[in-house]
Amino acid sequence: MTFSLKQTHLNETHDPSLKSWVESANSSDSDFPIQNLPFGVFHKGGNGESARIGIAIGDQILDLKNCIKLGLFDHLPEPLKDACTATRLNSLMALGSEPVSLLRSAVSQLLRLDVEQSPPEADVLVAMTDAELRLPAEIGDYTDFYASIFHATNVGKLFRPDNPLLPNYKYVPIAYHGRASSIVPSGMPIRRPQGQRKPPDASIPEFAPARMLDYELEVGCFVGTGNAIGQPIAIDQAEQHIFGLCLVNDWSARDLQAWEYQPLGPFLAKNFATTISPWIVTLEALAPFRCPAFQRSNDDPQPLPYLHSETDQRSGGFEITLEVWLRTEQMQSDGVAPVRLSQGSFSQMYWTIAQMLTHHASNGCNLRSGDLLASGTVSNANPGSQGCLLELTQRGTQLITLPAGETRAFLADGDEIILRGFCQREGYTRIGFGECRAIVQPSA
Ligand code: MN
């Protein structure tokens, strides 16, 4: 079998005139029209069955295992069908972008309105309201980058007013190794961590619940095919190793972070929890929304040769609108809708995801299917685009006033944070990432 698909190329699955016989998918504000088809893992409560791989379509989930049982994908290669019946996405991710593209095409054909005979809905669809969404993959390793120069500069200014950006920033996609075990799916409550904090006027630290609990709005990237140890990935091959993108909330305790982070970087201020959205949007689905890499100013150095590619510079960016919404406990009990704290674009990241992945493997570090790379907090240059409270409230010194008069410097117990992301471009169908949400619970 030969394939010619390039992930930035468009094909019939992107056709904006396509409609689905799943009616909710055709609504103009649905995150999951037939042009999206993101992958996730779901579980139907109470029937003793194991988790299954599904594809979001409108307010429904297409059950891939049942599709295969019914013989709807008989024309697909056996390894691909086997991977679809697993309980996690890792084996599907390991097959690489071309088989996954075949599957996308088959699912698109199956779900389109003008299909000759649609399968019995009850056999292949599960309502999202009847399903529990799980982590989509077994995440072996998690790395968090720092790829927004605006975030890095804003945070740097708070700590080093005269020298906000360190000299390595424009050469190295900075990152730290995070903790995979505490990555949880959207919807699971987050417990406020306890930890060491040393107020500036205290002589010794105390151990207590964090007072400066924050969120970080990020985009996550799931590794598809990995690389062998000792074998770097060339920048022009990098996107072949990416399965797709999701939303990430890198919860952060700023008071713990300030005391512990030197000299080795984030530790307990970050590793107590990371929330991800349950649906992984493939690079193929994102093809209509590609854009150039961030345009560096003339004073900036060019990326070193191993991080530079004409193709990546031309189309390595993603035009994704990202938002943070907050609902406090009081708003929840008053029946008030969440309020938007910020809105920004993923197109303004200093490093592309291909550069981040290439850099990660450049020393021979082996990436594995299901590994998660997160972008770092997404902030743009304009006010109102900052992706965390540390920036929005200037380390808690400028309070945010909410509609009912409540104020926030950092998160309070009972606050719910909701991340949203979507892509919209003239001539194409809008697609979305769904939500990444969680409520903050008091310390144990
Ligand atoms: Mn982060």
Side-chain angles (χ1 to χ4, degrees), residues 71-77 81 102 105-106 109:
L72 299 172
F73 295 146
D74 275 354
H75 59 295
L76 294 180
K81 284 190 286 187
L102 269 186
S105 170
Q109 304 268 350

Side-chain angles (χ1 to χ4, degrees), residues 278-289:
W279 297 109
I280 308 178
V281 179
T282 61
L283 288 209
E284 190 177 351
L286 289 162
F289 310 103

Side-chain angles (χ1 to χ4, degrees), residues 148 151 214-220 247-251 254 321-325 342-346 349 375-379 385-389 391 417-421 436:
S148 163
H151 172 70
D214 200 355
Y215 58 82
E216 288 188 342
L217 166 67
E218 307 196 11
V219 169
L247 305 176
V248 174
N249 183 345
D250 175 25
W251 301 95
R254 302 302 184 189
T321 302
L322 297 163
E323 299 177 340
V324 181
W325 297 72
S342 71
Q343 185 185 56
S345 170
F346 192 56
M349 302 305 273
S375 63
T377 306
V378 182
S379 296
S385 71
Q386 289 77 18
C388 64
L389 288 174
E391 290 172 75
I417 288 293
I418 305 149
L419 311 184
R420 292 179 183 149
C436 175

Side-chain angles (χ1 to χ4, degrees), residues 40-41 69 75 134 137 161 179 186 195 228 239 263-264 283 287 293 353-354 371 384 391:
V41 166
K69 248 193 232 166
H75 59 295
R134 298 273 174 91
R179 179 94 193 156
S186 177
E239 290 195 6
L264 289 185
L283 288 209
I353 58 170
D371 282 358
E391 290 172 75

